[in-house]
Amino acid sequence: MFLPTTPEEMRARGWPCLDVILVTGDSYVDSPFIGAALIGKVLLREGFRVGIIAQPDTDGPRDITRLGRPDLFWGVTGGSVDSMVANYTPLNKRRRSDDFTPGGRNDRRPDRAVLVYTNLIRRFAPSPAPVVLGGIEASLRRLAHYDFWSNRLRRSVLLDAKADYLVYGMAEETVVSLARWLAAGEDPRGLNGLCYAASQPPPEALHLPSWEDLQADPLAQLAMFRLTQAHSNPGSRPLAQRHAARWVVQNPPAPPLATAALDAVYGLDFERALHPFYRPLGEVRALDTIRFAITTHRGCYGECSFCAIALHQGRTVTSRSPESILEEARCLTAHPLFKGTIADVGGPTANMYGFECARKLRQGPCRDRRCLYPEVCHHLRPDHTPQIRLLEKLRRVPGVRRAFVASGLRYDLLLADRKAGRHYLDQLVRHHVSGQLKVAPEHTQASVLACMGKPGPGQLELFREHFQAATRAAGKPQFLTYYLMAAHPGCTLEDMQRLRRFAQSRLRLIPEQVQIFTPTPATAATVMYATGQDPETGRPVFVEKNPQRKAAQKAVLAPPATRRAPRGRR
Ligand code: SF4
């Protein structure tokens, strides 16, 4: 059943008012892949009355007042993607399409959506209920940060929006606790996973460089990045950052959901459809990929420098139980639109399912090294056996004809599993690849890969050999699709030319899946972009900031005139 988005639906449930109203930059697709729907359903399970206002009109009161005022809080999110990333290309041009908007036209999600929606609430629906920011846009911008689109440092979004609280990360438990505490009339500022503004920081807080420090010396971002990285684990001290007379306090993150809690979240009832209120506006393209896809785990310890997933979901992978995943597959087969294909069985990185570093589980992620870079840590002990078994069982679910693994793989992780890695690859090729297996080497030049935190080209070539052997053994024509990046910090035009030569001579193709680096707030690569230094090593890094020269880097592999040609597979 959908959450109410109209007064009629509230009446049908016998709810004269709501405890929580969620306002989101995505349309309302009732799916576990849509944050507002997921949080709403979790709150509903805990007994709270929740409604959703999706992509409200921002010029007047019509949409934002539709469900009245909430008793407990407004929850505001920009949606599944940071609104500036959603609205602009890496060359800062307006995007025409939006996969989370009905009809596909990019005309419903405002720039800096969490600011706009909070202002909308304050202006047209003022109430004593606090405004709580959440989702990836709020998460990444919770402290002062460099903003590529305005090319300047920005304050914490909590202060710019004048919101009351900000929940960060995968916030189910924080949001439920917040609702309970507010319902009980208690002060929620001790909750893990919460940020708030205060006139004084708590005595135990670790002080970050202040907003004024950052403005006076942009290189202070380097120290800030190192501190936030080292102290953003469950059990860390609170962090505090002064902005003039106000402090933004970040409590330690909530621990990742354990398997049983994750199973319970994904076991909730979802329609896997666009809410009927929004259907007259057109189809939502994202549904093609998420309607019949299954999340097997959360978190990522890949820590690619340009990626925000670890910042949002955390560096600890938690996996669902096979029973829960199989039950979800059985539910999918009962859906009237299901035709036998599960589009994806995966997570942020498909082959991180089912194992984690025992040491990390005991004492948290290491502060001084990465799990996969420069090589796979010997403590990790990768084991693809749980995923092999899971996929075998999925193939036997009545009604499932095909279950694809469409999420990206870490081939270095696969190669490091000497016991089951090759068998996993064989199984993928035989049963779970729909013609193309996606891999993301991103580059092949050692100096660029070092800035990205990605494995070297030797691993890529070895994986390619194994893939081709598996393909030959299976007697199936399967291809690798390579995802590459231009204009990442550290990458010059000459590096792109070397990458092209490598691809021609060693991969025997010119890949065309090339994107220009986007400086998403708060990532390591964005700190490099803003400061010209690597925050981990302190070394100077070349940064290409000129849009024409960024485009020229991309054009080395994908000249504009031929970008649409279906090349790049082998
Ligand atoms: S011991 Fe190795 S695998 Fe475990 S958390 Fe530390 S770096 Fe990661």
Side-chain angles (χ1 to χ4, degrees), residues 356-360 364-366 369-371 377-380:
E356 237 315 351
C357 164
R359 197 165 140 162
K360 191 195 298 180
C366 292
R369 55 181 162 160
R370 299 188 189 187
C371 303
C377 173
H378 67 277
H379 288 288
L380 186 58

